[in-house]
Structures are given as structure tokens and as C-alpha cells.
Amino acid sequence: LQLPHQEQQEQGQQLQTELAQPQLQQEEEHQEQIEQKKQQDKEKEEETQQQQQQQQQQQQQQQQQQPYKYHPYTQYNINTTITQEQLETDALIAQLLQEQMQQEDQEAELKRQLEEELTLKLIKTEEQERMTLEMLNKEEQEKREQREKQEQLSLQLAKELQEKEMKTTKRIEEELNEMFATDVALAWELQVMEQESNRYVEKGPGGYWKQPLPHGKMFQRVRLSPSDKTYQKVQTMFSACARKIVWIEFVQNETLWYTYQQAKNDCKHKEVYRFHGTPHTNIDGISEKGFLTTKDVSGGGTTIWSAENPAVSVGYAQKGPAPDGTHYMFLAKVLSDMQGVSTVKSGALMYPEFLIAFK
């Protein structure tokens, strides 16, 4: 059924020809029957006429052979005989004419019936062709509508897909722009922080940071030689508690040092050295994260305690010695104006510069 319009017309004409061919054959056969019937009737009529002519000739011959008499009775008999024969002939002719008329009527009726049948068949054929064409047109219309719907659906899907792609592309571009802006800002901030940090790291407390931290480490402790001037300076400050020093290490933590320097720039307190005793389990945590505030027993909130005299901090160091009996005490830089025992409210105000191991 998926044919162009011209092919559909050709198929319809071919279908009409195929449907009309049996009817045309029937009409030809019927016409032949009528012609045969007419031929037979014509032959019968000619035969009848020949018979009548023969009878008339015989009668004439008989009349010629008989002597002519003028006797009235004989003349009456002859006339009577001729009249009876004429009547019979006329009756026969009338009968034949009536039969011929009946036959013509039958032929006309048969012809009328055949014409009606042919007309009905033609009407039926035309109706079938019309219904076939309507069915073909309907199917073609449905297919065309279906194709149009599919095209509309395809266009709609393509439009939606394009809109989604545009939205996705726009969103990705926005995210990339945000990421780029964030990366630029972070890079700038890191660059500034690195510059700021490097400015302080290059100096370091006392200028004894000789190398940067190993990759991935937040801090490191480097042991000082007893012949080092810095070692001797710390040893002198610690001598007030009369304890034997095992070793002295300086703490290198760039983050804590940078934070302390920032706090130092923001406050007006002076910088002093203070001792802070602690159990051995806390030394790595303080070296990495700095000092943590604890609750003040006097009700002053949270603070960090430190002492100018190391003897005051020895008791805190003795609360948690190492398994070999070694105690630990930090010597820290503190931003405070207090004398003797100092308290600060934030770990940013202290930097654990040295760790002293003693017994």
C-alpha cells in the first residue's frame, strides 16, 4: 500500500479492468445468445413464409386443375373452403405473430434483466473501487500523519536534547569558570601565604632552621649539639631547676610559626620565654598542633599555663615520664606582659620553640 499516487491510480484502473472483464464476457455471451435467437426466429419466419407460399401455390394449382362451375351451390362450397383455409392461415399467422411478440417480450425482459444485472454489477464494482480508493487514501493519510507525528517527535526530542546539551555545556562552563576562579584565588592565596611564610621561615626562631620540612610532614624536631650556642643558652635558662639535661631539640613547624608571627603583628604584648612541663605522651601533639587551652580552675575560662621559672613546671612534667624515666619540658615564646606565671587565652600566642629532655 505504500505507493505513490500515480501507481495507486494505475492499480485502481487495473482493478477496474479485472473486475469489468467478467461482466464484459457475460455481456458478449448474452449478445451472442440474442443474435442466435434472432437468427433462429428469422429462420423460423422464413420457413413459415415458405410454407405459406407453398400452400398458396398448391391451392392455386388445385383451383386451376378443377373445372370452373358457375353453379351457385358449387360456388358457395368453393368459397367456403377458401374462406376456412384463409381463416386457418390467418389464425396460424396470428399465432406465429403472437409467439414472435411473446418471444420479443421475453427477449426484451431478458435484456432488461441483463442490463439491470450489469448496471448493479457496475455500481457494485464502482462502489468497491470507491471503497478501495478510500481505504488506500485513508491508509496513506494515516501513514502521512504518523510520519508527521514521528517527525514532530524527532524534532522535539532533538530540540530537548539540544537544550539539555546547551544547559549542560553552560553548567560545565560555569563550574569550570568557578573552579578556575577558585583555583586562581587559591593559587593567589597560597602564593601570598607562601611568600609570607617564606619570609618567616627563612628567618626561623633564632635563625637555626637550616633546611625545609620533609615532604608530607607538618613538623620536625632537630637535636642541638651541646657545643651549639643556642644549646648553651637554653641550658643556662633551664639551670634554675637543678636537673640533668639529656638532650635539647628545636621544633620546626612552619604553620605554627606563621600563625604566631601573625598574632605577634596583631597584638601589643611583648615577647618572653616561658617553660611548660607536660607528660611525654603530649610532646608530638604540641609539636604538630601547638598548645591547647584547658579549663581555668580559678573560673577565668580556658587558658594555657606557663612559668618563667622551670622549677615551677617540673611538677607538670613529672606527671607522665617516659618509660626510661625521662621528663619533658617545652621552652616556648609567649606573647604576654605577665611576670612569673603567665596565662594566655589562645595557642596562637605561644610557639613551642625548644623541647628539653631531663631526669
Side-chain angles (χ1 to χ4, degrees):
L1 297 179
Q2 299 178 354
L3 299 173
H5 183 67
Q6 184 177 0
E7 294 183 1
Q8 291 181 0
Q9 289 182 352
E10 292 178 359
Q11 287 189 355
Q13 292 177 0
Q14 185 178 0
L15 181 61
Q16 290 180 1
T17 304
E18 292 178 356
L19 292 173
Q21 187 173 5
Q23 296 177 0
L24 294 174
Q25 291 179 357
Q26 290 179 1
E27 289 179 0
E28 291 176 357
E29 291 177 358
H30 178 64
Q31 192 68 25
E32 289 178 359
Q33 290 177 1
I34 292 173
E35 295 294 333
Q36 290 177 3
K37 186 68 176 176
K38 285 183 179 180
Q39 185 69 24
Q40 291 176 1
D41 292 341
K42 185 176 180 180
E43 290 176 357
K44 286 182 180 181
E45 186 178 357
E46 290 177 354
E47 185 178 357
T48 303
Q49 289 179 359
Q50 289 177 2
Q51 289 177 0
Q52 289 178 359
Q53 289 177 1
Q54 289 176 2
Q55 288 177 1
Q56 289 179 0
Q57 289 176 0
Q58 288 177 2
Q59 288 177 2
Q60 290 177 1
Q61 289 176 2
Q62 288 176 2
Q63 289 178 1
Q64 291 177 0
Q65 291 176 2
Q66 290 180 1
Y68 182 76
K69 296 180 178 181
Y70 293 97
H71 191 275
Y73 179 77
T74 305
Q75 185 69 30
Y76 173 78
N77 289 335
I78 292 171
N79 293 334
T80 303
T81 302
I82 292 172
T83 303
Q84 185 67 30
E85 289 178 353
Q86 288 179 352
L87 290 173
E88 290 177 353
T89 302
D90 292 339
L92 180 61
I93 291 172
Q95 184 179 1
L96 290 173
L97 291 174
Q98 186 177 4
E99 289 178 355
Q100 185 177 359
M101 290 176 64
Q102 290 178 353
Q103 186 175 1
E104 290 178 354
D105 292 339
Q106 290 177 356
E107 290 177 355
E109 181 66 20
L110 180 61
K111 184 177 181 181
R112 185 185 62 80
Q113 291 178 357
L114 290 174
E115 289 177 353
E116 289 180 353
E117 290 178 358
L118 180 60
T119 303
L120 291 174
K121 288 181 179 179
L122 288 173
I123 293 172
K124 186 175 181 181
T125 302
E126 292 177 354
E127 183 67 20
Q128 289 178 350
E129 291 176 356
R130 185 182 63 79
M131 292 176 65
T132 302
L133 290 174
E134 288 180 354
M135 183 177 66
L136 291 173
N137 292 331
K138 185 177 180 181
E139 291 179 353
E140 183 66 22
Q141 181 68 19
E142 290 177 353
K143 290 181 178 180
R144 185 165 56 252
E145 291 177 355
Q146 187 175 5
R147 286 196 299 270
E148 290 177 356
K149 289 181 179 178
Q150 290 178 352
E151 290 176 357
Q152 291 178 357
L153 182 60
S154 299
L155 291 174
Q156 185 177 0
L157 291 174
K159 185 177 179 181
E160 292 178 356
L161 181 61
Q162 186 177 5
E163 290 178 354
K164 288 182 179 179
E165 289 179 352
M166 291 177 64
K167 290 181 180 179
T168 304
T169 304
K170 185 177 180 181
R171 181 174 55 82
I172 292 173
E173 289 178 354
E174 291 177 352
E175 291 179 354
L176 289 175
N177 291 333
E178 291 179 358
M179 291 174 62
F180 179 73
T182 303
D183 291 342
V184 170
L186 288 174
W188 176 256
E189 185 177 354
L190 289 174
Q191 185 178 0
V192 172
M193 290 178 64
E194 185 176 0
Q195 291 176 356
E196 295 268 344
S197 177
N198 288 337
R199 190 170 74 247
Y200 297 114
V201 168
E202 288 173 359
K203 296 179 181 180
Y208 42 78
W209 289 3
K210 305 299 183 182
Q211 56 186 1
L213 289 173
H215 181 70
K217 293 191 68 176
M218 295 297 296
F219 74 94
Q220 69 177 354
R221 289 194 301 265
V222 181
R223 190 162 298 181
L224 296 173
S225 172
S227 61
D228 193 294
K229 292 181 178 181
T230 303
Y231 181 97
Q232 296 173 3
K233 177 182 176 181
V234 175
Q235 184 180 23
T236 301
M237 296 173 66
F238 184 75
S239 61
C241 67
R243 295 299 180 101
K244 182 181 179 180
I245 295 177
V246 179
W247 47 256
I248 299 174
E249 295 178 344
F250 68 84
V251 179
Q252 182 176 350
N253 189 319
E254 298 173 359
T255 303
L256 293 180
W257 179 244
Y258 175 78
T259 304
Y260 175 78
Q261 291 295 325
Q262 289 291 102
K264 182 178 179 181
N265 293 333
D266 295 338
C267 73
K268 297 180 181 180
H269 299 300
K270 64 180 181 179
E271 184 180 66
V272 294
Y273 277 106
R274 294 289 184 267
F275 291 96
H276 181 88
T278 185
H280 79 283
T281 54
N282 295 338
I283 59 175
D284 287 338
I286 294 174
S287 299
E288 180 179 359
K289 299 179 181 179
F291 296 101
L292 300 179
T293 58
T294 57
K295 188 174 181 181
D296 193 346
V297 294
S298 62
T302 57
T303 58
I304 303 173
W305 290 81
S306 61
E308 184 179 0
N309 189 344
V312 177
S313 300
V314 169
Y316 295 95
Q318 291 177 344
K319 291 182 178 180
D324 61 354
T326 304
H327 304 284
Y328 299 93
M329 185 181 302
F330 283 96
L331 177 59
K333 285 182 178 293
V334 182
L335 298 174
S336 174
D337 294 329
M338 299 177 63
Q339 301 292 329
V341 177
S342 300
T343 58
V344 295
K345 301 295 184 181
S346 172
L349 301 176
M350 298 179 62
Y351 178 74
E353 186 173 357
F354 299 102
L355 177 64
I356 304 169
F358 63 94
K359 291 186 179 181

